[in-house]
Every structure is written in structure tokens, then in C-alpha cells.
Amino acid sequence: KASAELILAKLLRLGLVLAAFCAAGIAESPDDLTQLSIEDLANVQVTSVSKKTESLSGAPAAIFVLTGDEIRRHGHTSLPEALRMVPGLYVAQTDAHIWQVSARGFSDLDNNKMLVLIDGRSAYSPELGTVYWDALDVPLENIDRVEIIRGPGGTLWGDNAVNGVINIVTKPAQQEQGISASSSASEQKGYSAGVRYGGQINSKLTYSLYGRSAYWEPFQSPAGTTPLDQFGFTQAGARVDWQKSAQDTLSFETSGYDGKLGATAFESTQPATYLLDGANLQAHWKHVLSDHSSVDTMAYCAWYVRYGAPGEKRNSCDVEFQRSDQLTQRQSLIWGGSFYSTGDDLSPDQAFYSPDRRRTSVSSGFAQYEVLLIPDRLRILGGTKIEHNDYTGFEYQPQIRAVWTPDKVQSIWSSISRSIRTPSRNNSDLDLYFKAGDSGGEPIFHSVTGNPNLASEKIVAYETGYRVQPFSTLSFDTAIYYNAYADLIVFAPVVVTVFPTYILSENHFVNGPGAQTHGAEFSGKYRPISQWTLSAAVTETRGSAAAIHATPLHLFNLQSQVDLPRKLNWDAAIYHDSSLPLGVSVANANLPFQRVPSFFRIDTGGSWHLAPHWTVSVWGRNLQSPKHVETRDTAFGNEATDIPRSITFKLVWQSKPEKVGSKP
């Protein structure tokens, strides 16, 4: 019966793929950023560093832009997989649907020091302080770019932007015109199919609709067994952009998803299947007051439920206001505020919380002043965010940044900033009690409790960087940093009490000692001929044991991108992660005592534009070996599985988009 159900499921997936292609293809992007010169790429406009548009080369932070065209060209099937390309970012896959994404240490399943945004909407879960990357299955065809900041961003983005910010920017509806469909298939990894349609009501009002379904096959454990870690995910969404007038632009986005994941039940070896679903609605209004002033207002609400460990029901709403004023030719000011409210029900989690339902809010205000001390040479930004949260009360997050551009080919930037991470729900309210084994015939029970009196974790970060483009075909980007952490939330020493009939081991969270990380990040890009681009990145991370226990000391990647005749593209990438030693985190006593060997990973593949509307691509992943492990097991009992060698086929049909504004 199980085999018959599996065959039926695969037939249904194949039917989805065929149906998608019968529907039609993917809209072309008007600008292929993979074809830009290195000089043009340096001038790509970003907004995440200072919340206003500026060139990448002059941004006073360790920022990298991964374009949507690069993601699609390299044949990636998920966003975390694509983030491996980013210098300074550590990406590791645990099983078919669990990912770890971090920067500058403190890598863990929770990754609670990395803030992830989608068009400004936070994807951060306050239960564990984590991002559910499996539920963040953004259709890659919808992504315009991903802006990755390594280092604190609390002044502009608020708490939990401690070690970095990942801002996913999707395409406006104007760039998604036409009918579309795409599909990928891999016997080792799984299948996906997507459909998208974009149109316009008039010259000022455009819209796009999309749907996507994916199924990821379970991987194998190092012992040779097949754990239940498969993942199925279906989603749909829409976006409307309205250029109401020369002064007003409005956009509306909504999406919903439904999924099913396999995992190991908490504190057992039994496989289990859990459900998840969610939806969100977002509105964004940009209003131009004058040639020197503008206002941005954004509001969103999101709802989701996730069963298992972790599990939660959550509803959140956020309203943000920002005003930008060009005070003089040399001075500008950005200021604003926000109010965020989130309510949860943690009864779906297999652990216990007291209370199991809670609503919390964060209100904040920020201001950032910028002055050009020397026009076109020296720029200084300073500001702070002051906020109030229901866990630790008032907090402040200041920063000062400076960028010096002695000429048109080089820039030097430096910054000092302070950010915080507020306690998560499990840090404050966990009430966990379970049997942990036996000793001398007596049962051992383990208790883990939260601490409602915790202070926020704090970081003071010192950074400096250098960018140079000595030739139009060659560029380098270097950043060095020192991060000092205080009041880290860790477990207190275990207290063991022997009773007549059992043994009790007790843990609770406390603010522990500080820690530090320091390191260097280097990347370069070289185009020896117009059809060939080489990119390389080296990351070195050092620090306290508590900060780097699960982060490789050395990361390296080398990427090659070649444009061949007859509309052929051939790309390749080599990745290296150094080993993770035996050891556990002082912040999570449940993590296994486990070593992860170093590994090389080789990916290569190409695409062929065999007809005006058709593109076929083939990619091989992990070609260097049949399989390898990338992380330790999780604290929730999910086994770190073997990441297999795989071959992925992708087929895209794309209609020629209708020119926006052509209708009366």
C-alpha cells in the first residue's frame, strides 16, 4: 500500500509539471543583470544599508547583492541553496528541508542573530528566534535581488539584526508581465512546478499572479536508513502596483501556503508528519511631498501555524512610517517609527510553555542624519533607534558610519554600531520536562525552564572595509570586523538532585558571560574576456568557543560563468567548508556531541536557449562525492542526513511580455 501511495504521489507531481507547461511560461526580465559589466554591477542600486537608494560601491557596510538573474542562471531550486554564493555567508543543509544560514559566528538551528525580510516584512519567528527557511520558499522567478548585509543593522531594522540582514526584494508587477511556467526535476532531490501571469488594467495599474508546488525527496542518514524528512509545499500569491500619480505609488501583496513536512518526533526516534500553513497581506505607499521630501508607509499582517517541534500558531501585524528630507545639498535626514504586535498559541509545539498563549508588542522610533563633509569624497551617517519591547523594556541601538572615496575606483568605509537581540519565547517561558534516560536502574528526568527576567543580548561591532576597481574588468571587496557580545543568553550550570525513586536534572536560562568574534571577508570578480566571469570569496572566522562552535573557521568558493556560442551558458562553482570540531554550545545543552568533517562541493551545469521562448538547463550538484554531511544533528532530534550527489533538469517557457503602458 505504501509503495502504491508513493507511485501515485509521483504521478500526481508529474501531472502538476505537465499542467504547468500546458498553462504557459515565465515573463522575461527587461534587464539581465548577469550581462552587466563589473563596473555597472558596482553601481547597482541598493536600499538596505541606509534605507535610501545608493550605489553598491559607495555603501558604508559589508553588503553583497545577489541578483535574481544570477540565482536563475546558476540553476538553483531554493533560496538557501542560492545563498551559498554570497561571500561571508555560511549556509549548511541539515536534511531535505532544514537549513542553517548565518554570518560571523553563532551558527545554529535557531540562527537567532540574523534578520530576514521579504520586501520589508520580517520572517523572524519570536518563539525560538529563528527563520523557517522551508516555509520561506520564495519562487525564484519572482526575486529581483537579495541584499545581504553582514554585520549589525539594528539602527534601521530593529532588534535581532545582530550579525546581519537578508533583505529579499521581489519584482514589481511591471517586470512580471506575460504568462509563465517553469519546472525542475531531480530524482535525488525532488520536483517543482510554477505558473505566473502578469497583466495590466491600464497604463498605471499592473498586477501579477503566481502559483508554485514543490516536493523534496527524503535524504538518507549516514547509517544508511531513510528518515522521514520529505517536504511538500504549495503556495499562491498576487501583487498589484498602482502609479496613482506622479507623487503617489501604491503596491499590494498577498500570498498563502500549505505544506507537509516529515521529521522525528521530539524526544523519540519515531518518524512523524506535520502540517503547516500560512498567509500574509501587505500594503506599501510612497508619497512624494516635494523635490526634497518623501514619505514611505508600510503595513502588513501575517498568520501561520506550524505543528511539531518547534510548533506554533502566530498572527502578527506591523505598521511602519518613514520620512526622508534633503535638508541642504550636503545634509539629509531620515526618521520614522513603527509598531509591531504579535500573538501566539504554542500548544502545537511538543514542548510546554507557561503561558502557552501570549501577545507582545514593540514600538520604536529612529532617526539617521547624513552629511557630506567633502562632496563626492567623505560621507558620514549617524543615528539611533529607540524602542520598547515587552520583554526587556526600553532599548537603544546607535551607529555611526563613514565612507571615504578618494577617487572613482576605490572607497574605504568604517562603522561602529550597537544592536540587541531580545529574549525569545523559549528563553522566557519554556517549561519542559521529559525523561532523559536511566542510571543504575533509576530514571533520569530533565527539566528546562525559561527565565522571564532575562536582559537582551548586546553587541558592539567595529567594522572597516575597502572596495577597489583598478580596471573595468577587475574588482575587489574586503571587510574586517571585531564583535563584542555581552549578556549572552545561555544555560546555567545543571543542578542534579537525587530523589529516592528518580534523579532530576534541572536547567534554566541566564544571562551569561560575554564573547567575541573577529574575522575577515574577501571577494573578487574578474572578467578576462567579455564572455567569461570569475568570482572568488574567502571567509575567515575566529572568536570565543561559544560563538564559533558550529561555524567553520574557513570558507571558500570559486565561481565561473561562461557565455558560449549558440545561446549556451556554462557555469561552475567550487565550495569548501572547514570541519566542525567535537563540542556543544553553552547556549543549548541538548545539541549532540558530534564532529562534522570538512568537505569540498563541486557544482556545474548549463542552460540552452534552444528557441525564443524555451530554455532548458541541466545542473549537477555535489559531484565530488556521492554524499556528505554538512551540520550536526538538531536539538529537536532531527538527524543530519547525507546531502546526495544530484542531477537537476529544469525547463522554462517564457512568453514575450506585453509592453507596459501600451493599453489605453
Side-chain angles (χ1 to χ4, degrees):
K1 180 181 178 181
S3 299
E5 291 176 346
L6 181 61
I7 293 172
L8 179 60
K10 290 190 175 182
L11 288 174
L12 288 173
R13 291 196 300 274
L14 180 59
L16 281 173
V17 174
L18 295 174
F21 278 102
C22 290
I26 187 168
E28 293 181 50
S29 173
D31 299 306
D32 182 359
L33 294 181
T34 64
Q35 302 301 316
L36 294 180
S37 67
I38 291 177
E39 186 174 9
D40 291 336
L41 286 171
N43 292 318
V44 168
Q45 301 297 292
V46 297
T47 58
S48 298
V49 176
S50 57
K51 278 201 172 182
K52 73 174 187 177
T53 302
E54 60 187 328
S55 68
L56 175 62
S57 62
I63 184 172
F64 183 87
V65 175
L66 182 63
T67 70
D69 294 309
E70 288 177 307
I71 293 173
R72 292 181 288 276
R73 171 167 178 148
H74 285 260
H76 297 294
T77 55
S78 69
L79 181 57
E81 185 179 73
L83 291 175
R84 293 182 190 271
M85 302 167 61
V86 178
L89 208 59
Y90 171 51
V91 179
Q93 188 171 10
T94 301
D95 63 16
H97 63 89
I98 295 177
W99 294 83
Q100 296 185 25
V101 181
S102 62
R104 300 184 174 181
F106 288 97
S107 176
D108 209 335
L109 176 65
D110 297 346
N111 291 328
N112 55 32
K113 296 173 179 58
M114 177 70 72
L115 184 65
V116 179
L117 307 163
I118 309 173
D119 292 330
R121 172 173 57 86
S122 174
Y124 188 90
S125 167
E127 181 194 4
L128 295 176
T130 191
V131 173
Y132 298 119
W133 283 101
D134 50 11
L136 198 60
D137 188 25
V138 182
L140 302 184
E141 292 80 9
N142 293 1
I143 295 176
D144 179 66
R145 66 188 186 276
V146 184
E147 299 180 5
I148 302 98
I149 299 174
R150 307 182 305 277
T155 300
L156 297 180
W157 300 107
D159 56 348
N160 308 316
V162 175
N163 281 5
V165 178
I166 298 176
N167 188 17
I168 305 163
V169 182
T170 62
K171 293 179 180 178
Q174 292 91 331
Q175 294 184 22
E176 296 185 323
Q177 299 297 288
I179 309 173
S180 73
S182 63
S183 181
S184 68
S186 171
E187 181 180 0
Q188 300 82 13
K189 296 181 66 176
Y191 313 86
S192 69
V195 180
R196 190 179 70 201
Y197 174 75
Q200 58 181 117
I201 298 174
N202 53 47
S203 61
K204 296 183 178 181
L205 189 62
T206 56
Y207 64 90
S208 64
L209 312 169
Y210 74 88
R212 171 179 159 86
S213 184
Y215 175 82
W216 305 123
E217 295 280 5
F219 293 163
Q220 280 196 337
S221 72
T225 61
T226 303
L228 188 69
D229 63 331
Q230 75 275 6
F231 183 68
F233 196 75
T234 301
Q235 61 180 307
R239 173 168 178 155
V240 176
D241 290 325
W242 183 20
Q243 185 68 50
K244 184 177 181 296
S245 65
Q247 291 77 33
D248 295 285
T249 302
L250 294 94
S251 64
F252 304 91
E253 298 178 60
T254 184
S255 65
Y257 64 82
D258 181 80
K260 182 183 295 186
L261 62 89
T264 302
F266 185 56
E267 293 303 322
S268 79
T269 59
Q270 296 299 313
T273 301
Y274 300 109
L275 302 177
L276 66 156
D277 61 72
N280 64 80
L281 178 64
Q282 179 172 326
H284 191 184
W285 174 35
K286 295 182 179 181
H287 176 62
V288 177
L289 297 171
S290 68
D291 293 340
H292 306 290
S293 301
S294 64
V295 171
D296 277 17
T297 305
M298 186 191 75
Y300 73 82
C301 288
W303 311 263
Y304 66 83
V305 58
R306 185 185 185 99
Y307 293 91
E312 58 179 309
K313 294 180 181 179
R314 182 168 298 280
N315 62 83
S316 304
C317 288
D318 185 33
V319 178
E320 299 181 10
F321 168 85
Q322 174 184 308
R323 174 162 173 160
S324 302
D325 292 292
Q326 188 69 41
L327 304 177
T328 67
Q329 288 186 343
R330 294 192 181 188
Q331 302 176 76
S332 63
L333 176 68
I334 297 177
W335 60 276
S338 66
F339 178 78
Y340 172 77
S341 176
T342 182
D344 60 39
D345 176 359
L346 301 186
S347 59
D349 198 294
Q350 295 176 346
F352 294 97
Y353 288 80
S354 179
D356 62 354
R357 297 188 181 190
R358 182 172 179 177
R359 176 162 291 279
T360 59
S361 63
V362 179
S363 53
S364 67
F366 80 94
Q368 178 170 276
Y369 171 74
E370 178 179 338
V371 59
L372 298 175
L373 291 181
I374 305 176
D376 300 324
R377 289 292 182 268
L378 181 59
R379 181 164 62 109
I380 295 180
L381 301 85
T384 189
K385 177 183 282 284
I386 299 175
E387 66 181 29
H388 180 275
N389 68 79
D390 292 342
Y391 288 99
T392 62
F394 283 98
E395 302 281 1
Y396 65 97
Q397 300 182 77
Q399 72 171 8
I400 184 168
R401 296 179 181 271
V403 58
W404 166 253
T405 53
D407 51 48
K408 293 182 178 180
V409 301
Q410 56 184 333
S411 62
I412 304 168
W413 61 269
S414 294
S415 71
I416 302 175
S417 55
R418 180 185 189 271
S419 289
I420 60 114
R421 180 185 83 85
T422 56
S424 56
R425 271 278 262 144
N426 72 318
N427 296 148
S428 176
D429 303 325
L430 185 64
D431 187 10
L432 182 61
Y433 184 82
F434 60 92
K435 185 177 180 181
D438 296 279
S439 176
E442 298 292 337
I444 301 175
F445 293 94
H446 191 61
S447 170
V448 183
T449 56
N451 181 352
N453 299 314
L454 292 170
S456 293
E457 295 183 342
K458 304 169 184 67
I459 175 181
V460 177
Y462 307 87
E463 304 173 84
T464 190
Y466 176 62
R467 298 186 184 96
V468 62
Q469 187 182 335
F471 309 103
S472 62
T473 58
L474 180 65
S475 66
F476 299 103
D477 192 337
T478 303
I480 59 175
Y481 65 92
Y482 179 88
N483 294 342
Y485 300 85
D487 293 327
L488 289 176
I489 298 175
V490 300
F491 276 126
V494 176
V495 176
V496 178
T497 306
V498 179
F499 293 93
T501 57
Y502 66 96
I503 300 172
L504 178 63
S505 171
E506 297 178 277
N507 261 146
H508 65 278
F509 289 100
V510 296
N511 288 113
Q516 59 85 19
T517 61
H518 59 278
E521 299 152 348
F522 171 84
S523 63
K525 191 180 289 286
Y526 177 49
R527 183 168 287 179
I529 58 176
S530 59
Q531 295 81 19
W532 185 23
T533 302
L534 289 169
S535 303
V538 178
T539 303
E540 297 291 323
T541 308
R542 303 292 187 273
S544 307
I548 62 170
H549 73 97
T551 301
L553 300 183
H554 320 283
L555 295 173
F556 168 79
N557 73 66
L558 175 65
Q559 299 168 47
S560 171
Q561 179 178 299
V562 182
D563 296 326
L564 299 171
R566 299 184 181 275
K567 298 183 178 181
L568 288 170
N569 306 127
W570 192 263
D571 302 338
I574 299 174
Y575 303 92
H576 171 67
D577 290 18
S578 63
S579 62
L580 301 180
L582 290 170
V584 297
S585 167
V586 295
N588 198 327
N590 293 326
L591 288 179
F593 194 67
Q594 186 177 1
R595 183 178 183 272
V596 179
S598 65
F599 67 88
F600 275 93
R601 169 191 172 114
I602 299 175
D603 298 347
T604 188
S607 59
W608 180 27
H609 305 277
L610 69 166
H613 301 293
W614 290 92
T615 302
V616 60
S617 60
V618 181
W619 268 85
R621 308 284 182 192
N622 302 306
L623 299 181
Q624 76 292 336
S625 64
K627 56 189 178 181
H628 69 272
V629 174
E630 294 188 356
T631 69
R632 300 187 180 111
D633 298 346
T634 75
F636 302 104
N638 302 111
E639 185 176 14
T641 57
D642 285 322
I643 310 303
R645 176 189 292 153
S646 63
I647 304 295
T648 300
F649 299 88
K650 188 171 184 179
L651 189 60
V652 174
W653 186 91
Q654 55 186 20
S655 66
K656 185 177 181 180
E658 187 175 10
K659 185 178 179 181
V660 176
S662 61
K663 289 186 177 182

